[in-house]
Amino acid sequence: MLRKRLVAAAAAALLAAAGAVGAVVAQDGPADPAVQTAASSVPTFDHIVLVMFENKKYSSINGSSSAPYFNSLAGQGAKFSNSFAITHPSQPNYVALFSGATQGVTDDTCPANLGSVSNLGQQLIGAGRTFTGYSESMPSDGYTGCSSGDYRRKHNSWVDFSNVPAASNLRYTAFPSDYTQLPTVAFVTPNMCNDMHDCSIGTGDTWLHNNLDGYAQWAKTHNSLLIVTFDEDSGTSVNQIFTTFVGAHVQTGTYSESINHYTVLRTIEASYGLPGINNAASKSPILDVWQ
């Protein structure tokens, strides 16, 4: 009888210890995403802000002393070690992330007038949600010109679609300091210097810290999400880019599954119960990063 009691006590202790370990994994997020349980759905965020930088390969950002804030930010959320752009050059990648396809765009020729093709902005508005694109250095709200100073339309995909209203195409100066006033989904495009296209990695790193760290920290406790990514790498055939998710419900860690712009689009759509459009329809949303 004594032996049975000792065995039972030992078994109970092992089960309790296993439960404690499970609790730590669930609370803190595992170092190895392979050991975590995927969520059944993407959380419905109050706000998602996506900011796109330019033309840097993953290894130029990851662990780089020139990008301390990018790496600090990724350490606060989910870093994707196998994230890829769709093609080269810039413009078709912006179109792909916004509409699920490059829509026949193969270069940076402006303007790319794409009519009423399905896109994320149109989806959100049709579902009673809101979308706004904020472009730094754009000369006026609703601007449809190809360039002005450090602004380039080729990095502003939403203006190419006739079913996204001009009221959704705003200057970055309109980005609210009261984050509760943000639309459901916001895309942010820094200008040609601050997006690293014409200036250094350090310039873009400082811009991201100065402009979006406040939102990143707020998002963690306000059911919101920041997505930081790049349009393409530095022109290689691999086209691997740096992507991170930071905010509420995110389990901190490095995630090794292969994702691309269509996967990111599908994940945003899934947050609001929207169907995948074009090539995003064949992608599964990212589920393993949520707690």
Side-chain angles (χ1 to χ4, degrees):
M1 180 65 70
L2 177 60
R3 183 178 180 184
K4 287 182 178 179
R5 288 177 179 172
L6 289 173
V7 170
L14 287 170
L15 287 170
V21 170
V24 170
V25 168
Q27 179 178 349
D28 296 334
D32 180 3
V35 303
Q36 70 190 55
T37 301
S40 60
S41 62
V42 180
T44 302
F45 290 103
D46 291 345
H47 307 282
I48 295 176
V49 174
L50 182 148
V51 57
M52 187 99 93
F53 288 84
E54 278 277 314
N55 299 10
K56 296 294 179 288
K57 60 185 179 181
Y58 177 80
S59 60
S60 294
I61 303 297
N62 186 52
S64 171
S65 59
S66 297
Y69 181 69
F70 270 84
N71 287 281
S72 171
L73 190 65
Q76 301 170 46
K79 179 174 71 175
F80 296 92
S81 58
N82 283 292
S83 177
F84 300 91
I86 302 301
T87 186
H88 298 294
S90 294
Q91 185 165 232
N93 287 293
Y94 285 84
V95 172
L97 180 51
F98 193 64
S99 71
T102 59
Q103 310 299 345
V105 176
T106 59
D107 56 27
D108 288 336
T109 300
C110 181
N113 293 317
L114 302 175
S116 58
V117 172
S118 295
N119 60 76
L120 178 61
Q122 166 256 330
Q123 278 188 297
L124 288 162
I125 293 167
R129 307 278 185 173
T130 51
F131 168 81
T132 303
Y134 299 93
S135 296
E136 188 181 30
S137 299
M138 191 169 70
S140 59
D141 294 341
Y143 182 73
T144 59
C146 288
S147 65
S148 177
D150 286 331
Y151 166 80
R152 296 293 184 274
R153 173 171 162 163
K154 64 181 180 178
H155 298 162
N156 174 349
S157 52
W158 45 95
V159 74
D160 294 329
F161 297 89
S162 61
N163 52 6
V164 179
S168 292
N169 180 30
L170 300 183
R171 293 169 291 173
Y172 180 67
T173 53
F175 192 88
S177 56
D178 176 0
Y179 303 130
T180 65
Q181 300 304 304
L182 281 164
T184 309
V185 176
F187 277 24
V188 174
T189 299
N191 67 29
M192 290 286 284
C193 177
N194 291 323
D195 68 6
M196 305 185 191
H197 186 284
D198 292 346
C199 296
S200 68
I201 291 173
T203 297
D205 190 76
T206 299
W207 187 94
L208 181 61
H209 177 267
N210 290 346
N211 286 270
L212 287 171
D213 183 65
Y215 171 76
Q217 304 312 319
W218 179 88
K220 295 175 185 178
T221 56
H222 290 83
N223 191 39
S224 296
L225 181 68
L226 174 65
I227 299 174
V228 178
T229 191
F230 284 74
D231 67 328
E232 59 176 324
D233 75 357
S234 51
T236 78
S237 59
V238 177
N239 219 352
Q240 185 179 7
I241 55 175
F242 189 93
T243 300
T244 186
F245 289 7
V246 178
H249 314 295
V250 178
Q251 297 194 77
T252 301
T254 297
Y255 296 81
S256 59
E257 69 262 42
S258 180
I259 67 168
N260 63 20
H261 291 325
Y262 299 139
T263 318
V264 173
L265 171 59
R266 184 70 197 98
T267 303
I268 296 171
E269 291 171 319
S271 180
Y272 304 107
L274 302 170
I277 50 174
N278 298 313
N279 293 314
S282 63
K283 294 292 184 180
S284 296
I286 296 167
L287 297 177
D288 57 342
V289 303
W290 314 117
Q291 58 186 359

